[in-house]
Amino acid sequence: MRRPSPLPPPPSRDEREPEEPIEVFLPVVAPRGSDDVDGVTAPVVPIAQPASAEPSRRGAGEHAEPDTAGGGPDEEPMLRARDVWAAARARRRALRAEVRRFTARQRRRRIVWAGSAAALLLLVLGSVGAAYSPLFAVERVRVVGTSQLPAAAVEDALSAQLGRPLPLVDSSEVKAALVAFPLVESYTLEARPPHDLVVRIVERTPIGTISSAAGYTLVDAAGVALSTTPERPKGYPEITVPGGITSRAFAALGMVFRSLPDDIREQVTAMSATSPHDVTLTLGKTGTDVVWGDASESARKAVVLESIMTSRPPAEVSEYDVSSPGAVVVR
């Protein structure tokens, strides 16, 4: 025989109490920058049971009562999509305001840099425009550094540069004009704003004359012919080199002459060399010879010769041999 169960029977469907609706609390954070900094909870949103569950719980013959939108006096309004959108827009506006506040210094810095760059660009463009304008046109050509060459003749040859802006002076035209002057060894152009063009010239140094069928040709140490005259120019020694101006003997002779002191150079009346190792100079009216040898140690030989000529003048000597500067021979 089955014993009765000590537990009471479960209640029937009709006797069960209706289930309470589930309430959800959604926290809502106030937007940044607003006065309300404390967290605020959103209104309670009751989540009701599905309508299909009510008839099954209440019975087949009963109908569920519809929910009213307004609710009772103690009920809070439901959270609508429009409120969510409004809160999102307010938060975006607050974020944009914060971004603008934190980037204001960078914007000011960019504005300062942009203004400085624009001012510098305008200054450069203005300077370049002024330099290439008639405000800096050439009005005077000055030639400096000439002693044998007439400066006025060079200035007339460069008159084509007058009226041009200083940056537009054509260096190729200047070179072509100066080629006509053999005495010009090198030159430099110097612009002196607003209107001056300075031409600095380094002249060639003549070392002597070479006799030919055309007359006497004045040459420098490089063998460049400076001028040719029917008569021998005064003040320049006569050069005798069998190999001509392109030989090594002539090159050695030119190096020796350029190393001489001015007071000795003025006394030289003739120079000869058959090879680079037997350069010989002739001094003054006495015809005293100076056996130089090759062009090595020319500076030392010049000092030794100047010293020995002080103690033994050329009028008393027929020959100075300084080919070995450590052992000078005087005859």
Side-chain angles (χ1 to χ4, degrees), residues 127-139 162-168 193-196:
S127 301
V128 172
Y132 284 87
S133 68
L135 295 175
F136 291 90
V138 178
E139 295 182 358
L162 296 176
R164 291 185 178 180
L166 288 173
L168 296 181
H195 304 295
D196 289 351

Side-chain angles (χ1 to χ4, degrees), residues 28-45:
V28 177
V29 181
R32 185 180 297 177
S34 62
D35 297 334
D36 190 5
V37 296
D38 297 330
V40 181
T41 57
V44 178
V45 181

Side-chain angles (χ1 to χ4, degrees), residues 138-146 149-162 173-174 177-178 181 184 189 196-201:
V138 178
E139 295 182 358
R140 289 179 298 274
V141 177
R142 295 177 51 199
V143 177
V144 296
T146 59
L149 187 66
V154 180
E155 293 175 358
D156 292 340
L158 298 177
S159 60
Q161 305 302 319
L162 296 176
E173 291 185 4
V174 174
L178 294 179
F181 300 93
V184 177
L189 299 179
D196 289 351
L197 177 64
V198 178
V199 183
R200 297 187 177 275
I201 292 178

Side-chain angles (χ1 to χ4, degrees), residues 231-257:
E231 297 180 358
R232 177 183 170 185
K234 294 182 179 181
Y236 297 103
E238 184 176 359
I239 299 174
T240 303
V241 180
I245 59 176
T246 59
S247 63
R248 295 176 57 191
F250 179 83
L253 192 148
M255 293 177 60
V256 170
F257 185 80

Side-chain angles (χ1 to χ4, degrees), residues 74-94:
D74 297 335
E75 295 180 358
E76 296 182 0
M78 297 178 63
L79 186 63
R80 293 172 295 181
R82 183 168 54 188
D83 300 330
V84 175
W85 294 339
R89 286 194 299 270
R91 181 174 180 80
R92 286 195 295 270
R93 286 195 296 269

